[in-house]
Amino acid sequence: DAGVIQSPRHEVTEMGQEVTLRCKPISGHNSLFWYRQTMMRGLELLIYFNNNVPIDDSGMPEDRFSAKMPNASFSTLKIQPSEPRDSAVYFCASSLAGATGELFFGEGSRLTVL
Amino acid sequence: KQEVTQIPAALSVPEGENLVLNCSFTDSAIYNLQWFRQDPGKGLTSLLLIQSSQREQTSGRLNASLDKSSGRSTLYIAASQPGDSATYLCAVYPGANNLFFGTGTRLTVIP
């Protein structure tokens, strides 16, 4: 299996622009997580989907962030408008059994907002 | 709220040494604990997952132990190699679909 695939790997944008990050989970996994990693705060859960349904989005910072999972093989995380404080590495992870099972992470999308 | 601590933040050892990484958590009501490895600029790779009913798990040169009552886990790496250099993170799952991650220990194995 190719593992969890994220795109783009790097994104540099200007404040106020829309950013869309993409994730393809491992085939057959029914759970998908979006995390954000910064030096100051470490890894933070943004949102968790189970069977394509958002279960917990309490970690989404504010209304500028939105996430969708239109089918079992694709998810997006959108930031509109972006701000410099959104600069971070965004990880997507998938698993067979929510957080009770082993999580498989993608290689991340490094976002820089100027 | 569950808090996960990893000490030390960084560790350097000469190649061939055995070493122990520590993870402590404040709430012992957990379902499982996972150890991950993160290489620079890369994602996290799961190394070992210990269920709450287990006391340890082994994979190759790695052995992870779990003591729920004391809120502690250790990751033992035998015969360390330069390729083991990475940041090691532990994460606990207390339920409610979230993992709580420690801030990691950055390991450097010196050839």
Side-chain angles (χ1 to χ4, degrees), chain A residues 9 37 48 99-102 106, chain B residues 32 34 38 41 43 46 93 97-98:
Chain A
R9 291 295 315 280
Q37 186 177 40
Y48 159 63
T100 62
E102 189 177 3
Chain B
N32 65 42
Q34 294 188 52
Q38 185 174 27
S46 180
Y93 176 58
N97 302 311
N98 192 8

Side-chain angles (χ1 to χ4, degrees), chain B residues 44-81:
Chain B
L44 282 69
T45 299
S46 180
L47 297 173
L48 290 164
L49 184 152
I50 311 177
Q51 301 293 345
S52 62
S53 58
Q54 299 173 317
R55 292 195 64 84
E56 66 179 287
Q57 280 282 354
T58 297
S59 175
R61 294 182 295 108
L62 306 180
N63 176 278
S65 68
L66 174 63
D67 184 342
K68 274 181 54 178
S69 60
S70 66
R72 300 174 79 169
S73 175
T74 62
L75 179 66
Y76 174 83
I77 302 177
S80 59
Q81 303 171 359

Side-chain angles (χ1 to χ4, degrees), chain A residues 82 86-87:
Chain A
S82 58
D86 301 330
S87 298

Side-chain angles (χ1 to χ4, degrees), chain A residues 102-113:
Chain A
E102 189 177 3
L103 258 64
F104 294 82
F105 280 75
E107 298 214 322
S109 294
R110 180 175 294 278
L111 172 65
T112 302
V113 183

